């Protein structure tokens, strides 16, 4: 069987690349399927990923300089991701325009959309339609696993079309509760709340391809922030003060003023896994940073930021497994007796959520395969 996945799988986001890897790996393992990513990669998306020190305007130039630590580090990091995807990902031919995707779509027995912000529709243009699998041939078998809106908003001008597209899926699921409710309001049916694809693999499976950061000894505090915030440094320093551990910062976005023992810039996805696994504590505002902290049963804090959608993802996950107290607003509430997490009391909840998510995906997939088999017998 051939399966095509539509998801974010390019660039150098740890979360996007690793959720894509996990979904692909799970489908390959369960169904002995040939799985590839549908490579819808418009020219403007490619240009946005090519961060250099030249630009058409001073404003653009300053943005590039400020947003990334330096161009050389960015290019080194991108090469690490390119090596990772070349090793583990199989892609369809590249489609540079939506028109090209519609006119000659790749053909699969099953199409899967999910997970990272595939349902986001509040951007200009029509490219969002690719994630809704609108290009698939008539009668194509389509499911969505752990779809995410990013921001739980559908412009009024797009609600009717999005509703129609959702109704063409054989099965739908979402990784945020607001997203489930939003889809339910459009289609009138129940939408399961499932785990992000990274949870389809357990810690031992992730460890199989982790790679060490050789300059570090295990036991450090890991700071992994997607967006900068004025008090992230204070939170990290407070945890260091209480534990006496080395402070390691994985700096992925903006020039920061962390007082850290080590700041890492160009880290591969395999090294990212090692960093979380070998930390003693994690401070993060990242949904996937939070997810991997749970996977490896780490003590952590997931701190609030005001960016739309960011805290919703982590909040829904943590509330569903009894860890809502790990979301904090400021370093002032951190005391030594609040650092450690006793996962023994949470194992049953965590495992049930994972098992329910796997069951959803397995049932959705097998129902379509069974239907295909019956069609062949008629």
């Amino acid at each position: 069987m051939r399966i095509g996945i539509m998801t974010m799988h390019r660039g150098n986001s740890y979360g996007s690349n690793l959720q894509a890897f996990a979904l692909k790996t799970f489908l390959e393992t369960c169904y002995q399927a040939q799985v590839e990513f549908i490579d819808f990669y418009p020219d403007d998306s490619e240009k946005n990923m090519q961060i250099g020190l030249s630009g058409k305007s001073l404003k653009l130039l300053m943005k590039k300089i400020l947003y990334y630590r330096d161009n050389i580090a960015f290019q080194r990091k991108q090469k690490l991701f390119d090596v990772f995807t070349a090793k583990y990902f199989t892609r369809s031919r590249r489609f540079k325009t939506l028109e090209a995707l519609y006119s000659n779509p790749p053909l699969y027995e099953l199409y899967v959309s999910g997970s990272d912000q595939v349902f986001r529709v509040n951007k200009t243009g029509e490219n969002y339609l690719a994630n809704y699998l609108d290009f698939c041939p008539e009668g194509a078998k389509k499911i969505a696993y752990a779809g995410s809106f990013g921001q739980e908003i559908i412009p009024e001008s797009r609600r009717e079309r999005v509703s129609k597209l959702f109704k063409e899926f054989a099965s739908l699921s979402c990784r945020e509760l607001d997203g489930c409710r939003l889809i339910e309001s459009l289609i009138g049916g129940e939408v399961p709340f499932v785990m992000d694809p990274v949870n389809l693999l357990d810690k031992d499976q992730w460890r199989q391809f982790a790679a060490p950061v050789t300059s570090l000894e295990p036991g450090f505090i890991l700071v992994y922030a997607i967006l900068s915030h004025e008090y992230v440094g204070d939170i990290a320093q407070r945890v260091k003060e209480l534990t006496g551990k080395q402070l390691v910062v994985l700096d992925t976005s903006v020039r920061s003023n962390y007082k850290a023992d080590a700041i890492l810039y160009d880290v591969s996805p395999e090294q990212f896994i090692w960093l979380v696994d070998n930390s003693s504590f994690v401070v993060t505002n990242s949904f996937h940073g939070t997810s991997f902290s749970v996977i490896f049963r780490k003590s952590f804090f997931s701190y609030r930021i005001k960016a739309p959608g960011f805290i919703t993802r982590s909040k829904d996950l943590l509330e569903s497994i009894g860890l809502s107290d790990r979301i904090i607003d400021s370093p002032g509430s951190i005391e030594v007796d609040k650092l450690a997490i006793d996962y023994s009391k949470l194992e049953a909840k965590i495992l049930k959520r994972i098992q329910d998510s796997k069951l959803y995906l397995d049932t959705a997939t097998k129902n379509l395969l069974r239907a295909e088999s019956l069609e062949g017998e008629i």
Side-chain angles (χ1 to χ4, degrees):
M1 178 176 63
R2 298 185 72 244
I3 299 175
I5 300 175
M6 178 62 79
T7 192
M8 295 176 64
H9 64 276
R10 284 186 175 269
N12 53 29
S13 164
Y14 297 107
S16 292
N17 277 264
L18 292 174
Q19 64 86 24
F21 170 84
L23 182 56
K24 165 189 172 291
T25 301
F26 182 82
L27 292 171
E28 285 178 337
T29 303
C30 288
Y31 308 111
Q32 290 74 53
Q34 297 177 14
V35 182
E36 66 181 27
F37 296 101
I38 302 168
D39 195 16
F40 178 56
Y41 191 43
D43 286 335
D44 57 348
S45 298
E46 183 176 17
K47 290 176 182 177
N48 289 338
M49 290 307 305
Q50 292 175 344
I51 305 299
L53 294 183
S54 61
K56 295 181 180 180
S57 68
L58 179 60
K59 182 179 180 180
L60 178 61
L61 175 61
M62 292 304 297
K63 180 180 179 180
K64 289 177 178 179
I65 293 174
L66 292 174
Y67 194 76
Y68 291 100
R69 176 66 59 162
D70 59 66
N71 189 52
I72 296 175
F74 173 82
Q75 296 297 337
R76 285 201 304 263
K77 179 182 177 183
Q78 186 59 59
K79 287 181 180 179
L80 292 171
F81 274 77
D82 290 343
V83 170
F84 172 80
T85 56
K87 183 176 181 180
Y88 294 109
F89 289 4
T90 301
R91 295 188 175 108
S92 71
R93 62 188 179 279
R94 179 180 171 184
F95 298 91
K96 294 186 178 183
T97 65
L98 196 62
E99 291 73 22
L101 187 58
Y102 274 87
S103 64
N104 189 21
L107 301 179
Y108 306 98
E109 283 75 41
L110 176 65
Y111 296 80
V112 182
S113 182
S115 156
D116 220 19
Q117 298 189 36
V118 291
F119 293 153
R120 188 168 187 171
V121 296
N122 60 340
K123 293 185 177 182
T124 59
E126 298 288 283
N127 283 348
Y128 76 93
L129 294 170
N131 289 330
Y132 283 79
L133 304 180
D134 190 40
F135 61 88
C136 294
E138 185 177 354
K141 295 174 171 59
K142 301 184 287 187
I143 65 172
Y145 180 74
S148 172
F149 288 88
Q151 296 178 342
E152 288 67 41
I153 298 171
I154 297 180
E156 192 62 36
S157 61
R158 291 179 173 174
R159 287 181 68 88
E160 184 177 352
R161 189 167 192 182
V162 167
S163 176
K164 178 180 180 296
L165 292 171
F166 275 140
K167 291 175 182 178
E168 293 175 359
F169 281 79
S171 186
L172 290 160
S173 61
C174 204
R175 74 176 189 192
E176 289 101 31
L177 286 170
D178 284 346
C180 292
R181 298 183 187 109
L182 182 52
I183 299 175
E184 289 169 352
S185 72
L186 294 172
I187 67 171
E190 184 177 352
V191 176
F193 168 46
V194 298
M195 299 281 269
D196 185 88
V198 297
N199 298 279
L200 298 174
L201 307 183
D202 63 30
K203 61 184 178 181
D204 291 327
Q205 289 172 296
W206 283 114
R207 283 171 178 157
Q208 288 178 12
F209 76 100
V213 177
T214 56
S215 60
L216 297 177
E217 292 292 329
F220 46 83
I221 302 163
L222 176 65
V223 180
Y224 173 49
I226 296 296
L227 296 179
S228 181
H229 196 282
E230 64 269 18
Y231 59 74
V232 60
D234 294 334
I235 294 173
Q237 288 297 327
R238 178 60 176 162
V239 176
K240 179 177 180 178
E241 176 187 326
L242 293 173
T243 63
K245 300 291 186 178
Q246 183 184 29
L247 191 63
V248 174
V249 173
L250 177 54
D251 196 344
T252 62
S253 55
V254 294
R255 186 172 294 275
S256 57
N257 297 310
Y258 299 118
K259 297 177 182 178
D261 297 290
I263 299 180
L264 308 175
Y265 306 114
D266 47 327
V267 168
S268 71
E270 297 95 329
Q271 289 174 315
F272 172 83
I273 296 301
W274 185 91
L275 285 170
V276 179
D277 188 22
N278 286 272
S279 66
S280 62
F281 200 97
V282 178
V283 177
T284 187
N285 64 10
S286 158
F287 169 73
H288 284 108
T290 301
S291 296
F292 276 105
S293 296
V294 174
I295 288 170
F296 287 108
R297 305 301 192 259
K298 295 295 173 179
S299 295
F300 68 93
F301 285 129
S302 183
Y303 62 89
R304 293 183 185 273
I305 54 176
K306 295 181 179 179
F310 263 75
I311 198 59
T312 300
R313 303 167 215 172
S314 296
K315 177 180 71 68
D316 288 349
L317 165 65
L318 297 178
E319 285 183 351
S320 72
I321 58 175
L323 280 174
S324 57
D325 63 325
R326 306 317 288 185
I327 300 176
I328 62 173
D329 293 298
S330 70
S333 61
I334 301 175
E335 300 296 338
V336 67
D337 60 348
K338 296 181 179 180
L339 292 180
I341 297 175
D342 183 0
Y343 277 100
S344 65
K345 300 177 180 179
L346 305 169
E347 285 295 332
K349 284 186 177 181
I350 296 172
L351 292 177
K352 185 175 189 310
R353 285 232 55 213
I354 294 171
Q355 289 167 355
D356 288 348
S357 299
K358 289 181 177 180
L359 179 61
Y360 160 80
L361 183 54
D362 187 51
T363 301
T365 302
K366 285 183 176 177
N367 282 345
L368 288 179
L369 295 179
R370 188 177 301 113
E372 180 180 353
S373 176
L374 291 174
E375 289 172 6
E377 294 175 2
I378 295 174

